[in-house]
PDB file of all heavy atoms in Angstrom:
ATOM      1  N   MET U   1      21.984   4.813 -37.359  1.00 61.00           N
ATOM      2  CA  MET U   1      22.308   4.757 -35.957  1.00 61.00           C
ATOM      3  C   MET U   1      22.105   3.332 -35.451  1.00 61.00           C
ATOM      4  O   MET U   1      21.051   2.745 -35.630  1.00 61.00           O
ATOM      5  CB  MET U   1      21.404   5.724 -35.188  1.00 61.00           C
ATOM      6  CG  MET U   1      21.754   5.871 -33.766  1.00 61.00           C
ATOM      7  SD  MET U   1      20.915   7.317 -33.122  1.00 61.00           S
ATOM      8  CE  MET U   1      20.287   6.650 -31.649  1.00 61.00           C
ATOM      9  N   GLN U   2      23.106   2.797 -34.832  1.00 63.00           N
ATOM     10  CA  GLN U   2      23.049   1.412 -34.372  1.00 63.00           C
ATOM     11  C   GLN U   2      22.664   1.358 -32.900  1.00 63.00           C
ATOM     12  O   GLN U   2      23.203   2.090 -32.079  1.00 63.00           O
ATOM     13  CB  GLN U   2      24.407   0.760 -34.581  1.00 63.00           C
ATOM     14  CG  GLN U   2      24.390  -0.719 -34.384  1.00 63.00           C
ATOM     15  CD  GLN U   2      25.746  -1.327 -34.713  1.00 63.00           C
ATOM     16  OE1 GLN U   2      26.747  -0.632 -34.749  1.00 63.00           O
ATOM     17  NE2 GLN U   2      25.760  -2.617 -34.938  1.00 63.00           N
ATOM     18  N   GLN U   3      21.717   0.485 -32.591  1.00 74.00           N
ATOM     19  CA  GLN U   3      21.290   0.317 -31.212  1.00 74.00           C
ATOM     20  C   GLN U   3      22.207  -0.669 -30.507  1.00 74.00           C
ATOM     21  O   GLN U   3      22.745  -1.583 -31.126  1.00 74.00           O
ATOM     22  CB  GLN U   3      19.858  -0.195 -31.147  1.00 74.00           C
ATOM     23  CG  GLN U   3      18.848   0.786 -31.660  1.00 74.00           C
ATOM     24  CD  GLN U   3      17.442   0.223 -31.557  1.00 74.00           C
ATOM     25  OE1 GLN U   3      17.249  -0.934 -31.242  1.00 74.00           O
ATOM     26  NE2 GLN U   3      16.460   1.065 -31.837  1.00 74.00           N
ATOM     27  N   THR U   4      22.348  -0.467 -29.212  1.00 78.00           N
ATOM     28  CA  THR U   4      23.151  -1.419 -28.457  1.00 78.00           C
ATOM     29  C   THR U   4      22.348  -2.694 -28.260  1.00 78.00           C
ATOM     30  O   THR U   4      21.129  -2.642 -28.087  1.00 78.00           O
ATOM     31  CB  THR U   4      23.545  -0.850 -27.074  1.00 78.00           C
ATOM     32  OG1 THR U   4      22.355  -0.526 -26.365  1.00 78.00           O
ATOM     33  CG2 THR U   4      24.410   0.389 -27.215  1.00 78.00           C
ATOM     34  N   PRO U   5      22.993  -3.834 -28.317  1.00 73.00           N
ATOM     35  CA  PRO U   5      22.270  -5.092 -28.114  1.00 73.00           C
ATOM     36  C   PRO U   5      21.660  -5.162 -26.716  1.00 73.00           C
ATOM     37  O   PRO U   5      22.246  -4.678 -25.749  1.00 73.00           O
ATOM     38  CB  PRO U   5      23.346  -6.163 -28.279  1.00 73.00           C
ATOM     39  CG  PRO U   5      24.536  -5.478 -28.844  1.00 73.00           C
ATOM     40  CD  PRO U   5      24.397  -4.020 -28.565  1.00 73.00           C
ATOM     41  N   LYS U   6      20.491  -5.746 -26.637  1.00 83.00           N
ATOM     42  CA  LYS U   6      19.812  -5.887 -25.352  1.00 83.00           C
ATOM     43  C   LYS U   6      20.385  -7.075 -24.600  1.00 83.00           C
ATOM     44  O   LYS U   6      20.741  -8.091 -25.188  1.00 83.00           O
ATOM     45  CB  LYS U   6      18.316  -6.092 -25.559  1.00 83.00           C
ATOM     46  CG  LYS U   6      17.635  -4.894 -26.155  1.00 83.00           C
ATOM     47  CD  LYS U   6      16.169  -5.140 -26.321  1.00 83.00           C
ATOM     48  CE  LYS U   6      15.526  -3.921 -26.950  1.00 83.00           C
ATOM     49  NZ  LYS U   6      14.113  -4.115 -27.156  1.00 83.00           N
ATOM     50  N   THR U   7      20.423  -6.925 -23.300  1.00 92.00           N
ATOM     51  CA  THR U   7      20.878  -8.034 -22.478  1.00 92.00           C
ATOM     52  C   THR U   7      19.753  -9.062 -22.379  1.00 92.00           C
ATOM     53  O   THR U   7      18.590  -8.768 -22.675  1.00 92.00           O
ATOM     54  CB  THR U   7      21.256  -7.567 -21.061  1.00 92.00           C
ATOM     55  OG1 THR U   7      20.075  -7.090 -20.413  1.00 92.00           O
ATOM     56  CG2 THR U   7      22.312  -6.476 -21.089  1.00 92.00           C
ATOM     57  N   THR U   8      20.090 -10.231 -21.935  1.00 91.00           N
ATOM     58  CA  THR U   8      19.099 -11.286 -21.763  1.00 91.00           C
ATOM     59  C   THR U   8      18.023 -10.860 -20.775  1.00 91.00           C
ATOM     60  O   THR U   8      16.838 -11.106 -20.981  1.00 91.00           O
ATOM     61  CB  THR U   8      19.779 -12.580 -21.286  1.00 91.00           C
ATOM     62  OG1 THR U   8      20.786 -12.948 -22.233  1.00 91.00           O
ATOM     63  CG2 THR U   8      18.785 -13.705 -21.143  1.00 91.00           C
ATOM     64  N   GLU U   9      18.443 -10.180 -19.716  1.00 93.00           N
ATOM     65  CA  GLU U   9      17.478  -9.736 -18.704  1.00 93.00           C
ATOM     66  C   GLU U   9      16.505  -8.713 -19.279  1.00 93.00           C
ATOM     67  O   GLU U   9      15.312  -8.746 -18.975  1.00 93.00           O
ATOM     68  CB  GLU U   9      18.217  -9.159 -17.489  1.00 93.00           C
ATOM     69  CG  GLU U   9      17.325  -8.930 -16.304  1.00 93.00           C
ATOM     70  CD  GLU U   9      16.639 -10.195 -15.812  1.00 93.00           C
ATOM     71  OE1 GLU U   9      17.250 -11.269 -15.834  1.00 93.00           O
ATOM     72  OE2 GLU U   9      15.457 -10.100 -15.417  1.00 93.00           O
ATOM     73  N   GLU U  10      16.983  -7.814 -20.116  1.00 93.00           N
ATOM     74  CA  GLU U  10      16.101  -6.827 -20.755  1.00 93.00           C
ATOM     75  C   GLU U  10      15.096  -7.517 -21.674  1.00 93.00           C
ATOM     76  O   GLU U  10      13.921  -7.162 -21.701  1.00 93.00           O
ATOM     77  CB  GLU U  10      16.916  -5.807 -21.543  1.00 93.00           C
ATOM     78  CG  GLU U  10      17.715  -4.858 -20.689  1.00 93.00           C
ATOM     79  CD  GLU U  10      18.653  -3.978 -21.487  1.00 93.00           C
ATOM     80  OE1 GLU U  10      19.187  -4.424 -22.527  1.00 93.00           O
ATOM     81  OE2 GLU U  10      18.867  -2.834 -21.064  1.00 93.00           O
ATOM     82  N   LYS U  11      15.555  -8.505 -22.414  1.00 94.00           N
ATOM     83  CA  LYS U  11      14.663  -9.254 -23.302  1.00 94.00           C
ATOM     84  C   LYS U  11      13.588  -9.987 -22.506  1.00 94.00           C
ATOM     85  O   LYS U  11      12.424 -10.002 -22.884  1.00 94.00           O
ATOM     86  CB  LYS U  11      15.454 -10.255 -24.137  1.00 94.00           C
ATOM     87  CG  LYS U  11      16.319  -9.616 -25.196  1.00 94.00           C
ATOM     88  CD  LYS U  11      17.099 -10.669 -25.945  1.00 94.00           C
ATOM     89  CE  LYS U  11      18.059 -10.065 -26.928  1.00 94.00           C
ATOM     90  NZ  LYS U  11      18.852 -11.087 -27.638  1.00 94.00           N
ATOM     91  N   ARG U  12      13.993 -10.592 -21.401  1.00 95.00           N
ATOM     92  CA  ARG U  12      13.030 -11.314 -20.562  1.00 95.00           C
ATOM     93  C   ARG U  12      11.997 -10.366 -19.967  1.00 95.00           C
ATOM     94  O   ARG U  12      10.816 -10.688 -19.905  1.00 95.00           O
ATOM     95  CB  ARG U  12      13.751 -12.064 -19.444  1.00 95.00           C
ATOM     96  CG  ARG U  12      14.436 -13.297 -19.920  1.00 95.00           C
ATOM     97  CD  ARG U  12      15.067 -14.056 -18.791  1.00 95.00           C
ATOM     98  NE  ARG U  12      15.718 -15.252 -19.320  1.00 95.00           N
ATOM     99  CZ  ARG U  12      16.631 -15.929 -18.685  1.00 95.00           C
ATOM    100  NH1 ARG U  12      17.018 -15.563 -17.482  1.00 95.00           N
ATOM    101  NH2 ARG U  12      17.171 -16.993 -19.227  1.00 95.00           N
ATOM    102  N   THR U  13      12.438  -9.199 -19.534  1.00 95.00           N
ATOM    103  CA  THR U  13      11.526  -8.215 -18.958  1.00 95.00           C
ATOM    104  C   THR U  13      10.491  -7.775 -19.996  1.00 95.00           C
ATOM    105  O   THR U  13       9.299  -7.697 -19.696  1.00 95.00           O
ATOM    106  CB  THR U  13      12.316  -6.997 -18.434  1.00 95.00           C
ATOM    107  OG1 THR U  13      13.234  -7.446 -17.435  1.00 95.00           O
ATOM    108  CG2 THR U  13      11.395  -5.954 -17.844  1.00 95.00           C
ATOM    109  N   GLU U  14      10.938  -7.516 -21.205  1.00 96.00           N
ATOM    110  CA  GLU U  14      10.017  -7.125 -22.275  1.00 96.00           C
ATOM    111  C   GLU U  14       9.051  -8.258 -22.615  1.00 96.00           C
ATOM    112  O   GLU U  14       7.866  -8.027 -22.840  1.00 96.00           O
ATOM    113  CB  GLU U  14      10.797  -6.713 -23.521  1.00 96.00           C
ATOM    114  CG  GLU U  14      11.502  -5.388 -23.387  1.00 96.00           C
ATOM    115  CD  GLU U  14      12.283  -5.012 -24.625  1.00 96.00           C
ATOM    116  OE1 GLU U  14      12.255  -5.759 -25.627  1.00 96.00           O
ATOM    117  OE2 GLU U  14      12.938  -3.958 -24.594  1.00 96.00           O
ATOM    118  N   GLU U  15       9.564  -9.476 -22.668  1.00 96.00           N
ATOM    119  CA  GLU U  15       8.721 -10.624 -22.988  1.00 96.00           C
ATOM    120  C   GLU U  15       7.665 -10.850 -21.904  1.00 96.00           C
ATOM    121  O   GLU U  15       6.505 -11.150 -22.207  1.00 96.00           O
ATOM    122  CB  GLU U  15       9.578 -11.875 -23.159  1.00 96.00           C
ATOM    123  CG  GLU U  15       8.800 -13.050 -23.696  1.00 96.00           C
ATOM    124  CD  GLU U  15       9.688 -14.235 -24.040  1.00 96.00           C
ATOM    125  OE1 GLU U  15      10.921 -14.109 -24.035  1.00 96.00           O
ATOM    126  OE2 GLU U  15       9.114 -15.302 -24.322  1.00 96.00           O
ATOM    127  N   LYS U  16       8.046 -10.670 -20.642  1.00 97.00           N
ATOM    128  CA  LYS U  16       7.086 -10.818 -19.537  1.00 97.00           C
ATOM    129  C   LYS U  16       5.976  -9.780 -19.646  1.00 97.00           C
ATOM    130  O   LYS U  16       4.803 -10.096 -19.441  1.00 97.00           O
ATOM    131  CB  LYS U  16       7.798 -10.676 -18.192  1.00 97.00           C
ATOM    132  CG  LYS U  16       8.608 -11.873 -17.793  1.00 97.00           C
ATOM    133  CD  LYS U  16       9.273 -11.599 -16.447  1.00 97.00           C
ATOM    134  CE  LYS U  16      10.099 -12.746 -15.984  1.00 97.00           C
ATOM    135  NZ  LYS U  16      10.694 -12.494 -14.660  1.00 97.00           N
ATOM    136  N   ALA U  17       6.347  -8.550 -19.957  1.00 97.00           N
ATOM    137  CA  ALA U  17       5.345  -7.488 -20.088  1.00 97.00           C
ATOM    138  C   ALA U  17       4.403  -7.792 -21.252  1.00 97.00           C
ATOM    139  O   ALA U  17       3.182  -7.624 -21.135  1.00 97.00           O
ATOM    140  CB  ALA U  17       6.027  -6.142 -20.282  1.00 97.00           C
ATOM    141  N   LEU U  18       4.947  -8.261 -22.355  1.00 97.00           N
ATOM    142  CA  LEU U  18       4.136  -8.564 -23.529  1.00 97.00           C
ATOM    143  C   LEU U  18       3.175  -9.719 -23.259  1.00 97.00           C
ATOM    144  O   LEU U  18       1.973  -9.611 -23.539  1.00 97.00           O
ATOM    145  CB  LEU U  18       5.030  -8.905 -24.717  1.00 97.00           C
ATOM    146  CG  LEU U  18       4.320  -9.284 -26.005  1.00 97.00           C
ATOM    147  CD1 LEU U  18       3.482  -8.116 -26.513  1.00 97.00           C
ATOM    148  CD2 LEU U  18       5.322  -9.709 -27.051  1.00 97.00           C
ATOM    149  N   ILE U  19       3.660 -10.802 -22.692  1.00 97.00           N
ATOM    150  CA  ILE U  19       2.794 -11.957 -22.450  1.00 97.00           C
ATOM    151  C   ILE U  19       1.729 -11.634 -21.419  1.00 97.00           C
ATOM    152  O   ILE U  19       0.581 -12.054 -21.540  1.00 97.00           O
ATOM    153  CB  ILE U  19       3.609 -13.217 -22.064  1.00 97.00           C
ATOM    154  CG1 ILE U  19       2.755 -14.488 -22.207  1.00 97.00           C
ATOM    155  CG2 ILE U  19       4.140 -13.140 -20.660  1.00 97.00           C
ATOM    156  CD1 ILE U  19       2.484 -14.899 -23.589  1.00 97.00           C
ATOM    157  N   SER U  20       2.088 -10.837 -20.422  1.00 96.00           N
ATOM    158  CA  SER U  20       1.101 -10.436 -19.415  1.00 96.00           C
ATOM    159  C   SER U  20      -0.009  -9.611 -20.043  1.00 96.00           C
ATOM    160  O   SER U  20      -1.194  -9.824 -19.747  1.00 96.00           O
ATOM    161  CB  SER U  20       1.771  -9.652 -18.293  1.00 96.00           C
ATOM    162  OG  SER U  20       2.622 -10.490 -17.554  1.00 96.00           O
ATOM    163  N   GLU U  21       0.346  -8.690 -20.902  1.00 96.00           N
ATOM    164  CA  GLU U  21      -0.658  -7.858 -21.569  1.00 96.00           C
ATOM    165  C   GLU U  21      -1.554  -8.701 -22.479  1.00 96.00           C
ATOM    166  O   GLU U  21      -2.770  -8.497 -22.527  1.00 96.00           O
ATOM    167  CB  GLU U  21       0.019  -6.755 -22.381  1.00 96.00           C
ATOM    168  CG  GLU U  21      -0.932  -5.776 -22.997  1.00 96.00           C
ATOM    169  CD  GLU U  21      -1.747  -4.984 -21.985  1.00 96.00           C
ATOM    170  OE1 GLU U  21      -1.276  -4.778 -20.858  1.00 96.00           O
ATOM    171  OE2 GLU U  21      -2.867  -4.563 -22.337  1.00 96.00           O
TER     172      GLU U  21
END
Side-chain angles (χ1 to χ4, degrees):
M1 187 165 133
Q2 191 176 19
Q3 294 181 352
T4 58
K6 294 181 181 179
T7 65
T8 303
E9 191 59 37
E10 290 172 327
K11 289 178 185 178
R12 284 183 180 161
T13 300
E14 288 179 2
E15 189 172 351
K16 285 179 180 182
L18 178 63
I19 196 73
S20 292
E21 185 63 28

